[in-house]
C-alpha cells in the first residue's frame, strides 16, 4: 500500500476507554505509525482528520512508536498526503 509521510494529529481511544491525543505518521489505506507507547495486540479506535474513525490493532511497538493495522481499508484524501 502507498504510504504518506505527512504527520497528522488525531485521537486514539485505548481499550481502557481512555481518549488520548496522538500523532500519526506514514498513513496508508491499511494502517499507520502512531507516536505513542502501546502494547502489541491492543485494540484501539483511531480518529484522523479527513479520514474518519476506524478500529485498529497494534502490530508492533518499539521506542515510543507503534504500527497500527486498520480493520478496514480507509481513503487517504489528497490534502492529508505529503506528496
Amino acid at each position: 500500500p502507498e504510504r504518506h509521510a505527512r504527520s497528522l494529529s488525531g485521537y486514539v481511544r485505548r481499550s481502557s476507554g481512555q481518549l488520548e491525543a496522538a500523532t500519526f505518521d506514514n498513513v496508508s489505506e491499511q494502517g499507520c505509525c502512531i507516536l505513542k507507547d502501546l502494547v502489541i495486540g491492543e485494540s484501539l479506535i483511531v480518529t484522523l482528520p479527513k479520514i474518519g474513525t476506524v478500529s485498529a490493532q497494534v502490530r508492533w511497538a518499539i521506542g515510543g512508536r507503534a504500527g497500527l493495522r486498520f480493520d478496514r481499508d480507509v481513503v487517504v484524501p489528497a490534502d492529508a498526503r505529503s506528496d
Side-chain angles (χ1 to χ4, degrees), residues 29-58:
E29 291 76 14
Q30 298 177 347
C32 65
C33 178
I34 182 173
L35 307 180
K36 190 168 277 296
D37 284 314
L38 297 172
V39 178
I40 294 171
E42 184 173 2
S43 294
L44 309 166
I45 307 269
V46 173
T47 302
L48 290 165
K50 302 184 188 209
I51 293 173
T53 299
V54 63
S55 297
Q57 185 177 51
V58 179

